[in-house]
Each structure stands twice: as C-alpha cells, then as structure tokens.
Amino acid sequence: MPDFRKGSPPSSRSRVAVTGAGGLIGSALVRSLRADGHEVVRLVRRPARGADEAEWDPKRQYVDAAALAGCDAVVHLAGAGVGDRRWTEAYKREIRDSRVLGTAAVAEAVASLDVPPKVLVCGTALGYYGDTGTRAVDESAPAGEGFLPSVCVEWEEAAAAAEEAGIRVAYARTGLVVAREGGAWGRLFPLFRAGLGGRLGHGRQYWSFISLHDEVAALRHILDTESLAGPVNLTAPEPVTNREVTAAMGRVLRRPTPFPVPRFALRAALGDFAHDVLGSQRVLPARLLDSGFRFAFPTVDEAIRAAT
C-alpha cells in the first residue's frame, strides 16, 4: 500500500483522484499531496484539459472511469454547499442530489475498474448525528432526525458499489472547518475583524470544529491507515459552544464581540438552515484518536490562530 503520510519517501509516491478539488478542503488536499510528489487527478465538470484531469458529471452520474485507471486511492469531496444559499425546496434537492448521485457515480466507476483503487474516502458530514444537545457522541451513535441526517444516510449508502467490490471505503464525517479562505468560518472572520462578531442565538449550542491543517492531515491519515473503514469523525477532540467560539475569536483577533445575532434574524436570513446553525453537535473523533492520529491544533484558540 502506498504511503500517503506527509513527507513520505519518493518510493511511496502514488496516484490519487480527487473530486471537489477546487473547494476549500479539496484544494488544500491537492496542494498537500502534490507537495509530497504524489500524482493527483482532478475530477472536473467539463472536458478534461490534461492528463491530470478527468471529466465527470454527478447529475448525469457520469465518470470517465478510464482516467481513474492506475489510481491507488480516490477522495470524493464534491457536493453543493450547505450554507451557500437559503434552503428552498429546490436547493434542498440540489444538496441531496449532488451528494447522493455524485457518490453513486464515483463508487460505480471505481468498482468497474479491472484493478480498482485500494481505498475510497467519501467526505460526508457531522450532520449525520443531528442535534445532540449537550450529549457527546462518537462514530457508534445512530443517525439523527431531520433533513441533514437523512441526506447523510443516503449519501453514505450511495457508496455501496465500492464496498461490494471489496474496496476499503471510509466516510470522513467533517465538522466546521476553521479557515479564512472559505466555509462557515470564512464568513465569520471578516465580521469579527470588523468588530461585528457575536454569539448566534443563545450561544449554548456546541460547535464541533477542525482546523484546515488537521482536516487535510486526517484525510491523509485515513488514506494511509488500512484499519480505518466506515465512519470516521473529522473534528477536534474538544468541541466548544458557540459562546466559547465567540470569546475565542475576540481573544485571538483582539476585537470586541458585542452583537449577538437573535434567533428570529437567523431564521429570516437563512430559512431552514438556521435550525442547523442554532442546533448543537458535540461530536468526538474517537476512531481518529484510537488509530494514533494527533491533532496539530486541538483547541479552538489554536485552530483560529492557525487560520489567521
């Protein structure tokens, strides 16, 4: 099995296909892999323009499987942004279809290869667990109730073809990624820098976060760790409340945090997505820790400093 760890020796260089390679996590993962000499094939939604690209279309469930030949691993990170738009019924369908149809297409493509990759890592989400309140949960917890948990269940089930083909499949259930370049935290940084940041609602809801550095390192750890199959939570070991996040952002950025955002304003602005912003997810990375992974930025203050 190739060695995907950062700094792996030249003899361990490998070929990895990545969907969502233009997104926050995907682009960081591609940079990391290429920096260590690994060959990366980016799956793009247009005709390929070079040997390092392969065409795919999740809506049509099409993947240029021939371009994946010789890949040691596939990392599937594509999907419509959960917080990018107001949750209309049409956009909820797009959120679901982009994940379920895309995952099924990738899983069927790799399963069809004469020599399939050793591992498929599907990026999913902590939304699987729903609102856990103050209760801490790990990968042994069942799915929650509501729109996002139901999407996550279908999302993971869509990779069945790869599992049936004997490919090791891991579901990287990712928390809120702390990064200034994008994602939910990317929206917070400008507000807090301007002195306009504050808690959301009552602020007692738990946020399970992970630094972008640790997210990429954890994905590479999953690629390299043959015992990791099934769900793996990618979240720092110390979830914090939104009130604690607000205080940490104020400390690190040295800005006041006087303006709480009331619940009714969030619902007016975000629609159904407000329920998930105000919901609580206290999720622990039990399988990562048990497999020997060590976080570079385990606390929220460290994760925020790493992103500044």
Side-chain angles (χ1 to χ4, degrees):
M1 180 71 183
D3 189 343
F4 295 97
R5 289 171 296 185
K6 186 173 177 60
S8 56
S11 60
S12 298
R13 287 174 182 168
S14 57
R15 179 177 167 90
V16 185
V18 180
T19 75
L24 173 67
I25 298 169
S27 60
L29 176 64
V30 169
R31 287 194 302 270
S32 176
L33 289 168
R34 285 179 170 166
D36 283 338
H38 299 294
E39 180 185 355
V40 177
V41 179
R42 300 168 65 251
L43 274 71
V44 295
R45 294 173 186 153
R46 53 169 172 74
R49 295 173 183 164
D52 65 340
E53 293 184 345
E55 184 179 0
W56 82 308
D57 185 337
K59 289 184 178 179
R60 291 192 294 118
Q61 292 188 273
Y62 167 76
V63 178
D64 180 4
L68 303 183
C71 283
D72 301 289
V74 175
V75 183
H76 173 46
L77 301 173
V82 171
D84 289 357
R85 302 182 202 168
R86 187 181 177 87
W87 279 13
T88 62
E89 288 304 312
Y91 194 61
K92 285 166 77 172
R93 283 195 300 274
E94 184 174 345
I95 288 172
R96 177 203 171 275
D97 289 350
S98 69
R99 287 159 171 76
V100 176
L101 299 181
T103 299
V106 170
E108 289 166 9
V110 297
S112 73
L113 296 172
D114 291 337
V115 181
K118 298 290 192 301
V119 57
L120 168 63
V121 177
C122 291
T124 64
L126 297 188
Y128 178 93
Y129 302 105
D131 190 333
T132 73
T134 60
R135 177 173 54 94
V137 300
D138 61 19
E139 292 89 349
S140 64
E145 297 180 355
F147 172 67
L148 279 182
S150 68
V151 168
C152 289
V153 169
E154 289 186 77
W155 192 357
E156 295 183 3
E157 289 177 345
E163 290 187 336
E164 291 166 2
I167 299 168
R168 175 168 66 93
V169 180
Y171 304 102
R173 295 175 179 168
T174 294
L176 293 168
V177 178
V178 185
R180 67 176 183 274
E181 300 91 343
W185 232 282
R187 299 183 183 186
L188 293 180
F189 273 104
L191 292 174
F192 278 85
R193 288 188 188 281
L196 300 175
R199 60 178 169 80
L200 303 181
H202 53 62
R204 295 189 296 274
Q205 66 272 32
Y206 274 89
W207 280 21
S208 294
F209 67 92
I210 186 169
S211 72
L212 181 58
H213 174 98
D214 284 330
E215 171 74 12
V216 171
L219 288 170
R220 293 189 61 169
H221 178 78
I222 293 172
L223 289 173
D224 198 53
T225 306
E226 295 185 15
S227 63
L228 287 177
V232 184
N233 293 336
L234 271 58
T235 180
E238 300 178 22
V240 291
T241 65
N242 175 256
R243 188 185 296 270
E244 291 170 318
V245 168
T246 300
M249 290 287 283
R251 282 194 302 272
V252 174
L253 300 180
R254 299 181 181 179
R255 292 291 188 275
T257 56
F259 301 110
V261 182
R263 298 170 71 92
F264 75 85
L266 285 169
R267 290 197 176 93
L270 301 177
D272 288 347
F273 183 50
H275 172 77
D276 291 273
V277 170
L278 294 166
S280 182
Q281 290 190 315
R282 191 177 184 183
V283 181
L284 305 178
R287 298 197 65 207
L288 266 186
L289 294 175
D290 289 346
S291 67
F293 183 79
R294 294 294 176 263
F295 288 84
F297 306 104
T299 70
V300 70
D301 287 66
E302 291 171 316
I304 294 168
R305 288 193 186 97
T308 58

PDB file of all heavy atoms in Angstrom, residues 20-54:
ATOM      1  N   GLY A  20     -14.179  17.547  -6.103  1.00  0.00           N
ATOM      2  CA  GLY A  20     -14.236  18.720  -5.240  1.00  0.00           C
ATOM      3  C   GLY A  20     -12.871  19.347  -5.050  1.00  0.00           C
ATOM      4  O   GLY A  20     -12.632  20.028  -4.048  1.00  0.00           O
ATOM      5  N   ALA A  21     -11.983  19.152  -6.033  1.00  0.00           N
ATOM      6  CA  ALA A  21     -10.602  19.612  -5.895  1.00  0.00           C
ATOM      7  C   ALA A  21     -10.476  21.126  -5.920  1.00  0.00           C
ATOM      8  O   ALA A  21      -9.430  21.662  -5.558  1.00  0.00           O
ATOM      9  CB  ALA A  21      -9.736  19.009  -6.998  1.00  0.00           C
ATOM     10  N   GLY A  22     -11.524  21.834  -6.347  1.00  0.00           N
ATOM     11  CA  GLY A  22     -11.478  23.285  -6.344  1.00  0.00           C
ATOM     12  C   GLY A  22     -12.053  23.903  -5.087  1.00  0.00           C
ATOM     13  O   GLY A  22     -12.006  25.126  -4.918  1.00  0.00           O
ATOM     14  N   GLY A  23     -12.580  23.081  -4.184  1.00  0.00           N
ATOM     15  CA  GLY A  23     -13.164  23.598  -2.954  1.00  0.00           C
ATOM     16  C   GLY A  23     -12.135  23.850  -1.873  1.00  0.00           C
ATOM     17  O   GLY A  23     -10.935  23.619  -2.055  1.00  0.00           O
ATOM     18  N   LEU A  24     -12.608  24.315  -0.724  1.00  0.00           N
ATOM     19  CA  LEU A  24     -11.721  24.657   0.386  1.00  0.00           C
ATOM     20  C   LEU A  24     -10.863  23.480   0.803  1.00  0.00           C
ATOM     21  O   LEU A  24      -9.625  23.567   0.854  1.00  0.00           O
ATOM     22  CB  LEU A  24     -12.563  25.142   1.579  1.00  0.00           C
ATOM     23  CG  LEU A  24     -11.799  25.385   2.887  1.00  0.00           C
ATOM     24  CD1 LEU A  24     -10.851  26.555   2.741  1.00  0.00           C
ATOM     25  CD2 LEU A  24     -12.782  25.621   4.041  1.00  0.00           C
ATOM     26  N   ILE A  25     -11.488  22.343   1.097  1.00  0.00           N
ATOM     27  CA  ILE A  25     -10.747  21.176   1.572  1.00  0.00           C
ATOM     28  C   ILE A  25     -10.009  20.507   0.421  1.00  0.00           C
ATOM     29  O   ILE A  25      -8.839  20.142   0.540  1.00  0.00           O
ATOM     30  CB  ILE A  25     -11.702  20.188   2.267  1.00  0.00           C
ATOM     31  CG1 ILE A  25     -12.354  20.837   3.486  1.00  0.00           C
ATOM     32  CG2 ILE A  25     -10.952  18.915   2.677  1.00  0.00           C
ATOM     33  CD1 ILE A  25     -13.495  20.029   4.072  1.00  0.00           C
ATOM     34  N   GLY A  26     -10.699  20.348  -0.711  1.00  0.00           N
ATOM     35  CA  GLY A  26     -10.098  19.653  -1.838  1.00  0.00           C
ATOM     36  C   GLY A  26      -8.847  20.331  -2.350  1.00  0.00           C
ATOM     37  O   GLY A  26      -7.839  19.666  -2.641  1.00  0.00           O
ATOM     38  N   SER A  27      -8.879  21.655  -2.481  1.00  0.00           N
ATOM     39  CA  SER A  27      -7.696  22.353  -2.994  1.00  0.00           C
ATOM     40  C   SER A  27      -6.532  22.246  -2.023  1.00  0.00           C
ATOM     41  O   SER A  27      -5.373  22.098  -2.441  1.00  0.00           O
ATOM     42  CB  SER A  27      -8.032  23.815  -3.280  1.00  0.00           C
ATOM     43  OG  SER A  27      -8.473  24.488  -2.118  1.00  0.00           O
ATOM     44  N   ALA A  28      -6.809  22.292  -0.727  1.00  0.00           N
ATOM     45  CA  ALA A  28      -5.741  22.141   0.266  1.00  0.00           C
ATOM     46  C   ALA A  28      -5.170  20.726   0.235  1.00  0.00           C
ATOM     47  O   ALA A  28      -3.953  20.535   0.372  1.00  0.00           O
ATOM     48  CB  ALA A  28      -6.269  22.473   1.657  1.00  0.00           C
ATOM     49  N   LEU A  29      -6.031  19.722   0.055  1.00  0.00           N
ATOM     50  CA  LEU A  29      -5.561  18.343  -0.028  1.00  0.00           C
ATOM     51  C   LEU A  29      -4.697  18.133  -1.274  1.00  0.00           C
ATOM     52  O   LEU A  29      -3.636  17.498  -1.209  1.00  0.00           O
ATOM     53  CB  LEU A  29      -6.749  17.382  -0.052  1.00  0.00           C
ATOM     54  CG  LEU A  29      -6.408  15.903  -0.235  1.00  0.00           C
ATOM     55  CD1 LEU A  29      -5.583  15.384   0.938  1.00  0.00           C
ATOM     56  CD2 LEU A  29      -7.682  15.073  -0.403  1.00  0.00           C
ATOM     57  N   VAL A  30      -5.135  18.669  -2.410  1.00  0.00           N
ATOM     58  CA  VAL A  30      -4.355  18.533  -3.644  1.00  0.00           C
ATOM     59  C   VAL A  30      -2.977  19.163  -3.479  1.00  0.00           C
ATOM     60  O   VAL A  30      -1.957  18.572  -3.870  1.00  0.00           O
ATOM     61  CB  VAL A  30      -5.114  19.163  -4.830  1.00  0.00           C
ATOM     62  CG1 VAL A  30      -4.209  19.273  -6.060  1.00  0.00           C
ATOM     63  CG2 VAL A  30      -6.358  18.335  -5.168  1.00  0.00           C
ATOM     64  N   ARG A  31      -2.912  20.352  -2.899  1.00  0.00           N
ATOM     65  CA  ARG A  31      -1.610  21.010  -2.678  1.00  0.00           C
ATOM     66  C   ARG A  31      -0.715  20.155  -1.800  1.00  0.00           C
ATOM     67  O   ARG A  31       0.479  20.000  -2.060  1.00  0.00           O
ATOM     68  CB  ARG A  31      -1.808  22.385  -2.032  1.00  0.00           C
ATOM     69  CG  ARG A  31      -2.368  23.447  -2.944  1.00  0.00           C
ATOM     70  CD  ARG A  31      -2.212  24.836  -2.338  1.00  0.00           C
ATOM     71  NE  ARG A  31      -2.862  24.965  -1.049  1.00  0.00           N
ATOM     72  CZ  ARG A  31      -4.120  25.346  -0.884  1.00  0.00           C
ATOM     73  NH1 ARG A  31      -4.881  25.601  -1.936  1.00  0.00           N
ATOM     74  NH2 ARG A  31      -4.644  25.464   0.327  1.00  0.00           N
ATOM     75  N   SER A  32      -1.290  19.584  -0.757  1.00  0.00           N
ATOM     76  CA  SER A  32      -0.516  18.778   0.178  1.00  0.00           C
ATOM     77  C   SER A  32       0.032  17.525  -0.489  1.00  0.00           C
ATOM     78  O   SER A  32       1.216  17.179  -0.332  1.00  0.00           O
ATOM     79  CB  SER A  32      -1.395  18.392   1.377  1.00  0.00           C
ATOM     80  OG  SER A  32      -0.725  17.531   2.260  1.00  0.00           O
ATOM     81  N   LEU A  33      -0.807  16.834  -1.251  1.00  0.00           N
ATOM     82  CA  LEU A  33      -0.374  15.611  -1.927  1.00  0.00           C
ATOM     83  C   LEU A  33       0.698  15.904  -2.975  1.00  0.00           C
ATOM     84  O   LEU A  33       1.718  15.212  -3.060  1.00  0.00           O
ATOM     85  CB  LEU A  33      -1.567  14.921  -2.579  1.00  0.00           C
ATOM     86  CG  LEU A  33      -2.579  14.261  -1.629  1.00  0.00           C
ATOM     87  CD1 LEU A  33      -3.846  13.882  -2.376  1.00  0.00           C
ATOM     88  CD2 LEU A  33      -1.978  13.040  -0.949  1.00  0.00           C
ATOM     89  N   ARG A  34       0.465  16.935  -3.765  1.00  0.00           N
ATOM     90  CA  ARG A  34       1.438  17.268  -4.803  1.00  0.00           C
ATOM     91  C   ARG A  34       2.763  17.736  -4.211  1.00  0.00           C
ATOM     92  O   ARG A  34       3.834  17.464  -4.779  1.00  0.00           O
ATOM     93  CB  ARG A  34       0.852  18.330  -5.734  1.00  0.00           C
ATOM     94  CG  ARG A  34      -0.192  17.757  -6.694  1.00  0.00           C
ATOM     95  CD  ARG A  34      -0.783  18.825  -7.598  1.00  0.00           C
ATOM     96  NE  ARG A  34      -1.600  18.206  -8.651  1.00  0.00           N
ATOM     97  CZ  ARG A  34      -2.449  18.877  -9.415  1.00  0.00           C
ATOM     98  NH1 ARG A  34      -2.601  20.196  -9.263  1.00  0.00           N
ATOM     99  NH2 ARG A  34      -3.150  18.236 -10.345  1.00  0.00           N
ATOM    100  N   ALA A  35       2.708  18.428  -3.087  1.00  0.00           N
ATOM    101  CA  ALA A  35       3.940  18.888  -2.449  1.00  0.00           C
ATOM    102  C   ALA A  35       4.832  17.717  -2.045  1.00  0.00           C
ATOM    103  O   ALA A  35       6.058  17.855  -1.982  1.00  0.00           O
ATOM    104  CB  ALA A  35       3.613  19.745  -1.232  1.00  0.00           C
ATOM    105  N   ASP A  36       4.227  16.562  -1.778  1.00  0.00           N
ATOM    106  CA  ASP A  36       4.990  15.365  -1.406  1.00  0.00           C
ATOM    107  C   ASP A  36       5.240  14.454  -2.598  1.00  0.00           C
ATOM    108  O   ASP A  36       5.650  13.304  -2.431  1.00  0.00           O
ATOM    109  CB  ASP A  36       4.257  14.601  -0.302  1.00  0.00           C
ATOM    110  CG  ASP A  36       4.432  15.264   1.054  1.00  0.00           C
ATOM    111  OD1 ASP A  36       5.417  16.019   1.213  1.00  0.00           O
ATOM    112  OD2 ASP A  36       3.604  15.037   1.942  1.00  0.00           O
ATOM    113  N   GLY A  37       4.977  14.958  -3.805  1.00  0.00           N
ATOM    114  CA  GLY A  37       5.325  14.212  -5.001  1.00  0.00           C
ATOM    115  C   GLY A  37       4.286  13.236  -5.493  1.00  0.00           C
ATOM    116  O   GLY A  37       4.540  12.493  -6.450  1.00  0.00           O
ATOM    117  N   HIS A  38       3.112  13.192  -4.877  1.00  0.00           N
ATOM    118  CA  HIS A  38       2.067  12.295  -5.349  1.00  0.00           C
ATOM    119  C   HIS A  38       1.404  12.860  -6.605  1.00  0.00           C
ATOM    120  O   HIS A  38       1.291  14.084  -6.774  1.00  0.00           O
ATOM    121  CB  HIS A  38       1.016  12.078  -4.263  1.00  0.00           C
ATOM    122  CG  HIS A  38       1.558  11.462  -3.010  1.00  0.00           C
ATOM    123  ND1 HIS A  38       2.052  10.190  -2.973  1.00  0.00           N
ATOM    124  CD2 HIS A  38       1.687  11.959  -1.746  1.00  0.00           C
ATOM    125  CE1 HIS A  38       2.460   9.908  -1.743  1.00  0.00           C
ATOM    126  NE2 HIS A  38       2.248  10.970  -0.984  1.00  0.00           N
ATOM    127  N   GLU A  39       0.960  11.986  -7.479  1.00  0.00           N
ATOM    128  CA  GLU A  39       0.259  12.389  -8.698  1.00  0.00           C
ATOM    129  C   GLU A  39      -1.227  12.519  -8.375  1.00  0.00           C
ATOM    130  O   GLU A  39      -1.825  11.597  -7.812  1.00  0.00           O
ATOM    131  CB  GLU A  39       0.469  11.341  -9.790  1.00  0.00           C
ATOM    132  CG  GLU A  39      -0.232  11.666 -11.092  1.00  0.00           C
ATOM    133  CD  GLU A  39      -0.103  10.551 -12.118  1.00  0.00           C
ATOM    134  OE1 GLU A  39       0.619   9.560 -11.841  1.00  0.00           O
ATOM    135  OE2 GLU A  39      -0.754  10.659 -13.176  1.00  0.00           O
ATOM    136  N   VAL A  40      -1.817  13.644  -8.736  1.00  0.00           N
ATOM    137  CA  VAL A  40      -3.223  13.896  -8.444  1.00  0.00           C
ATOM    138  C   VAL A  40      -4.004  14.072  -9.742  1.00  0.00           C
ATOM    139  O   VAL A  40      -3.595  14.827 -10.625  1.00  0.00           O
ATOM    140  CB  VAL A  40      -3.405  15.151  -7.561  1.00  0.00           C
ATOM    141  CG1 VAL A  40      -4.895  15.431  -7.333  1.00  0.00           C
ATOM    142  CG2 VAL A  40      -2.682  14.981  -6.229  1.00  0.00           C
ATOM    143  N   VAL A  41      -5.122  13.357  -9.853  1.00  0.00           N
ATOM    144  CA  VAL A  41      -6.060  13.524 -10.961  1.00  0.00           C
ATOM    145  C   VAL A  41      -7.280  14.258 -10.415  1.00  0.00           C
ATOM    146  O   VAL A  41      -7.956  13.758  -9.503  1.00  0.00           O
ATOM    147  CB  VAL A  41      -6.477  12.166 -11.551  1.00  0.00           C
ATOM    148  CG1 VAL A  41      -7.484  12.362 -12.689  1.00  0.00           C
ATOM    149  CG2 VAL A  41      -5.267  11.393 -12.043  1.00  0.00           C
ATOM    150  N   ARG A  42      -7.563  15.430 -10.946  1.00  0.00           N
ATOM    151  CA  ARG A  42      -8.704  16.226 -10.507  1.00  0.00           C
ATOM    152  C   ARG A  42      -9.911  15.895 -11.376  1.00  0.00           C
ATOM    153  O   ARG A  42      -9.834  15.991 -12.599  1.00  0.00           O
ATOM    154  CB  ARG A  42      -8.377  17.716 -10.605  1.00  0.00           C
ATOM    155  CG  ARG A  42      -7.200  18.146  -9.767  1.00  0.00           C
ATOM    156  CD  ARG A  42      -6.718  19.556 -10.103  1.00  0.00           C
ATOM    157  NE  ARG A  42      -7.724  20.548  -9.780  1.00  0.00           N
ATOM    158  CZ  ARG A  42      -8.427  21.235 -10.683  1.00  0.00           C
ATOM    159  NH1 ARG A  42      -8.253  21.013 -11.981  1.00  0.00           N
ATOM    160  NH2 ARG A  42      -9.313  22.133 -10.299  1.00  0.00           N
ATOM    161  N   LEU A  43     -11.029  15.505 -10.753  1.00  0.00           N
ATOM    162  CA  LEU A  43     -12.263  15.278 -11.497  1.00  0.00           C
ATOM    163  C   LEU A  43     -12.970  16.617 -11.680  1.00  0.00           C
ATOM    164  O   LEU A  43     -13.256  17.316 -10.692  1.00  0.00           O
ATOM    165  CB  LEU A  43     -13.163  14.283 -10.769  1.00  0.00           C
ATOM    166  CG  LEU A  43     -12.870  12.807 -11.083  1.00  0.00           C
ATOM    167  CD1 LEU A  43     -11.549  12.380 -10.462  1.00  0.00           C
ATOM    168  CD2 LEU A  43     -13.991  11.910 -10.612  1.00  0.00           C
ATOM    169  N   VAL A  44     -13.221  16.992 -12.940  1.00  0.00           N
ATOM    170  CA  VAL A  44     -13.770  18.312 -13.267  1.00  0.00           C
ATOM    171  C   VAL A  44     -15.062  18.150 -14.057  1.00  0.00           C
ATOM    172  O   VAL A  44     -15.250  17.166 -14.779  1.00  0.00           O
ATOM    173  CB  VAL A  44     -12.757  19.149 -14.074  1.00  0.00           C
ATOM    174  CG1 VAL A  44     -11.527  19.454 -13.223  1.00  0.00           C
ATOM    175  CG2 VAL A  44     -12.342  18.432 -15.355  1.00  0.00           C
ATOM    176  N   ARG A  45     -15.947  19.155 -13.956  1.00  0.00           N
ATOM    177  CA  ARG A  45     -17.257  19.083 -14.621  1.00  0.00           C
ATOM    178  C   ARG A  45     -17.226  19.771 -15.982  1.00  0.00           C
ATOM    179  O   ARG A  45     -18.072  20.609 -16.286  1.00  0.00           O
ATOM    180  CB  ARG A  45     -18.313  19.718 -13.710  1.00  0.00           C
ATOM    181  CG  ARG A  45     -18.514  18.928 -12.439  1.00  0.00           C
ATOM    182  CD  ARG A  45     -19.424  19.637 -11.481  1.00  0.00           C
ATOM    183  NE  ARG A  45     -19.488  18.928 -10.216  1.00  0.00           N
ATOM    184  CZ  ARG A  45     -19.754  19.514  -9.061  1.00  0.00           C
ATOM    185  NH1 ARG A  45     -19.931  20.815  -9.006  1.00  0.00           N
ATOM    186  NH2 ARG A  45     -19.806  18.803  -7.961  1.00  0.00           N
ATOM    187  N   ARG A  46     -16.251  19.420 -16.763  1.00  0.00           N
ATOM    188  CA  ARG A  46     -16.064  19.918 -18.130  1.00  0.00           C
ATOM    189  C   ARG A  46     -15.094  18.957 -18.807  1.00  0.00           C
ATOM    190  O   ARG A  46     -14.507  18.113 -18.136  1.00  0.00           O
ATOM    191  CB  ARG A  46     -15.486  21.336 -18.116  1.00  0.00           C
ATOM    192  CG  ARG A  46     -14.227  21.454 -17.282  1.00  0.00           C
ATOM    193  CD  ARG A  46     -13.501  22.755 -17.460  1.00  0.00           C
ATOM    194  NE  ARG A  46     -12.424  22.903 -16.509  1.00  0.00           N
ATOM    195  CZ  ARG A  46     -11.263  22.256 -16.551  1.00  0.00           C
ATOM    196  NH1 ARG A  46     -11.023  21.377 -17.528  1.00  0.00           N
ATOM    197  NH2 ARG A  46     -10.336  22.463 -15.644  1.00  0.00           N
ATOM    198  N   PRO A  47     -14.921  19.059 -20.127  1.00  0.00           N
ATOM    199  CA  PRO A  47     -13.937  18.188 -20.772  1.00  0.00           C
ATOM    200  C   PRO A  47     -12.549  18.364 -20.164  1.00  0.00           C
ATOM    201  O   PRO A  47     -12.127  19.482 -19.877  1.00  0.00           O
ATOM    202  CB  PRO A  47     -13.977  18.649 -22.233  1.00  0.00           C
ATOM    203  CG  PRO A  47     -15.345  19.217 -22.414  1.00  0.00           C
ATOM    204  CD  PRO A  47     -15.684  19.861 -21.104  1.00  0.00           C
ATOM    205  N   ALA A  48     -11.860  17.269 -19.939  1.00  0.00           N
ATOM    206  CA  ALA A  48     -10.509  17.320 -19.358  1.00  0.00           C
ATOM    207  C   ALA A  48      -9.568  18.065 -20.288  1.00  0.00           C
ATOM    208  O   ALA A  48      -9.641  17.937 -21.514  1.00  0.00           O
ATOM    209  CB  ALA A  48     -10.001  15.906 -19.106  1.00  0.00           C
ATOM    210  N   ARG A  49      -8.655  18.833 -19.697  1.00  0.00           N
ATOM    211  CA  ARG A  49      -7.703  19.626 -20.478  1.00  0.00           C
ATOM    212  C   ARG A  49      -6.275  19.123 -20.334  1.00  0.00           C
ATOM    213  O   ARG A  49      -5.347  19.747 -20.811  1.00  0.00           O
ATOM    214  CB  ARG A  49      -7.776  21.087 -20.043  1.00  0.00           C
ATOM    215  CG  ARG A  49      -9.115  21.744 -20.353  1.00  0.00           C
ATOM    216  CD  ARG A  49      -9.214  23.137 -19.762  1.00  0.00           C
ATOM    217  NE  ARG A  49     -10.526  23.735 -20.006  1.00  0.00           N
ATOM    218  CZ  ARG A  49     -10.993  24.795 -19.347  1.00  0.00           C
ATOM    219  NH1 ARG A  49     -10.240  25.369 -18.396  1.00  0.00           N
ATOM    220  NH2 ARG A  49     -12.190  25.272 -19.625  1.00  0.00           N
ATOM    221  N   GLY A  50      -6.082  18.024 -19.654  1.00  0.00           N
ATOM    222  CA  GLY A  50      -4.740  17.488 -19.495  1.00  0.00           C
ATOM    223  C   GLY A  50      -4.783  16.143 -18.805  1.00  0.00           C
ATOM    224  O   GLY A  50      -5.848  15.675 -18.370  1.00  0.00           O
ATOM    225  N   ALA A  51      -3.618  15.522 -18.690  1.00  0.00           N
ATOM    226  CA  ALA A  51      -3.534  14.197 -18.086  1.00  0.00           C
ATOM    227  C   ALA A  51      -3.853  14.209 -16.599  1.00  0.00           C
ATOM    228  O   ALA A  51      -4.144  13.157 -16.022  1.00  0.00           O
ATOM    229  CB  ALA A  51      -2.142  13.620 -18.312  1.00  0.00           C
ATOM    230  N   ASP A  52      -3.807  15.387 -15.984  1.00  0.00           N
ATOM    231  CA  ASP A  52      -4.092  15.474 -14.551  1.00  0.00           C
ATOM    232  C   ASP A  52      -5.554  15.791 -14.279  1.00  0.00           C
ATOM    233  O   ASP A  52      -5.921  16.130 -13.150  1.00  0.00           O
ATOM    234  CB  ASP A  52      -3.196  16.531 -13.889  1.00  0.00           C
ATOM    235  CG  ASP A  52      -3.483  17.935 -14.399  1.00  0.00           C
ATOM    236  OD1 ASP A  52      -4.071  18.068 -15.496  1.00  0.00           O
ATOM    237  OD2 ASP A  52      -3.109  18.899 -13.704  1.00  0.00           O
ATOM    238  N   GLU A  53      -6.425  15.668 -15.289  1.00  0.00           N
ATOM    239  CA  GLU A  53      -7.848  15.907 -15.115  1.00  0.00           C
ATOM    240  C   GLU A  53      -8.661  14.749 -15.693  1.00  0.00           C
ATOM    241  O   GLU A  53      -8.209  14.057 -16.612  1.00  0.00           O
ATOM    242  CB  GLU A  53      -8.286  17.210 -15.805  1.00  0.00           C
ATOM    243  CG  GLU A  53      -7.719  18.459 -15.167  1.00  0.00           C
ATOM    244  CD  GLU A  53      -8.250  19.734 -15.799  1.00  0.00           C
ATOM    245  OE1 GLU A  53      -8.845  19.661 -16.914  1.00  0.00           O
ATOM    246  OE2 GLU A  53      -8.081  20.801 -15.191  1.00  0.00           O
ATOM    247  N   ALA A  54      -9.847  14.548 -15.148  1.00  0.00           N
ATOM    248  CA  ALA A  54     -10.799  13.566 -15.671  1.00  0.00           C
ATOM    249  C   ALA A  54     -12.184  14.194 -15.613  1.00  0.00           C
ATOM    250  O   ALA A  54     -12.527  14.871 -14.641  1.00  0.00           O
ATOM    251  CB  ALA A  54     -10.765  12.277 -14.859  1.00  0.00           C
TER     252      ALA A  54
END
